[in-house]
Amino acid sequence: MKIAVFVSGRGSNLKAILDSAELKGLAEVKAVVSDKFDCLAFQVAKSFSIKTYSVGDKEGYINYDDLISELISLNIELIVLAGFLKLIPSSFIDKFHNKIINIHPALLPSFGGKGMYGMNVHKAVFDSSAKVSGATVHFVDFTYDTGKIIAQRCVDISDVNSPEEIAERVLKIEHELLPFVIKKIALNQVNIVNNRVIIT
Ligand code: GRF
């Protein structure tokens, strides 16, 4: 299965996908896309000789329509948002219906939505005094963090002293959960039955 990974920052989830032993021979990252001209994740992509694209309206960036053509010509079958911070235009989402997934660093449907990214999420979880947090992988629809949930993993945060500690624990499980879900999709073991996502 050929995949494209969308990023905005440091790219540790991208690296987890590229390093994943369970994805070897099952999934291949053919393109890395960012809303930035450059970011740490691009350096990760380049070190694996993967094509990079900066998407948007700015000069020298590829626009979403041309990106669709490019991803189709690369035979991309799955798009993985791994720390991509921009809302994707609906025309793009329509084109890749149920073929775009996102990883969110909390247990949706709590602590999601506009503005809930990066440390904002972990600060909100910390302030709520929640005793568990975790990671969620979900299908992407037209609004932030509302698509159907594919898989979640929890982590105990009852003893943490800071949002940073939550971030550290959650990131660790993100790096396991995302490759796991990609593997399941590659094996055709993620299906929507009776309006629910079922993993077999
Ligand atoms: C991750 O916590 C991801 O869940 C969130 O943004 C962060 C990206 O981290 N949406 P990285 O760029 O993969 O290191």
Side-chain angles (χ1 to χ4, degrees), residues 6 10 13 80-86 100-125 132-140 143-155 166-167 169-179 181:
F6 284 37
R10 107 203 108 171
N13 278 288
V80 179
L81 310 188
F84 188 69
L85 297 179
K86 286 271 156 67
I100 311 178
I101 63 172
N102 178 50
I103 182 141
H104 183 76
L107 295 173
L108 292 175
S110 294
F111 306 111
K114 195 164 163 41
M116 276 295 184
Y117 60 87
M119 282 310 292
N120 295 352
V121 178
H122 304 299
K123 280 186 189 128
V125 172
V132 288
S133 191
T136 302
V137 178
H138 63 93
F139 284 116
V140 171
T143 46
Y144 283 109
D145 302 325
T146 54
K148 283 200 183 298
I149 293 169
I150 303 169
Q152 294 181 298
R153 207 158 282 177
C154 303
V155 65
I166 300 176
R169 289 187 196 182
V170 170
L171 193 64
K172 223 185 208 166
I173 55 174
E174 286 184 54
H175 294 164
E176 296 164 10
L177 187 65
L178 191 53
V181 171

Side-chain angles (χ1 to χ4, degrees), residues 71-105:
L71 297 181
I72 290 173
S73 76
L74 290 172
N75 295 316
I76 297 299
E77 297 163 86
L78 179 72
I79 292 166
V80 179
L81 310 188
F84 188 69
L85 297 179
K86 286 271 156 67
L87 193 63
I88 295 184
S90 45
S91 55
F92 186 95
I93 293 171
D94 268 340
K95 207 78 203 169
F96 294 99
H97 182 67
N98 277 351
K99 297 212 171 321
I100 311 178
I101 63 172
N102 178 50
I103 182 141
H104 183 76

Side-chain angles (χ1 to χ4, degrees), residues 19 101 158:
D19 287 341
I101 63 172
S158 55

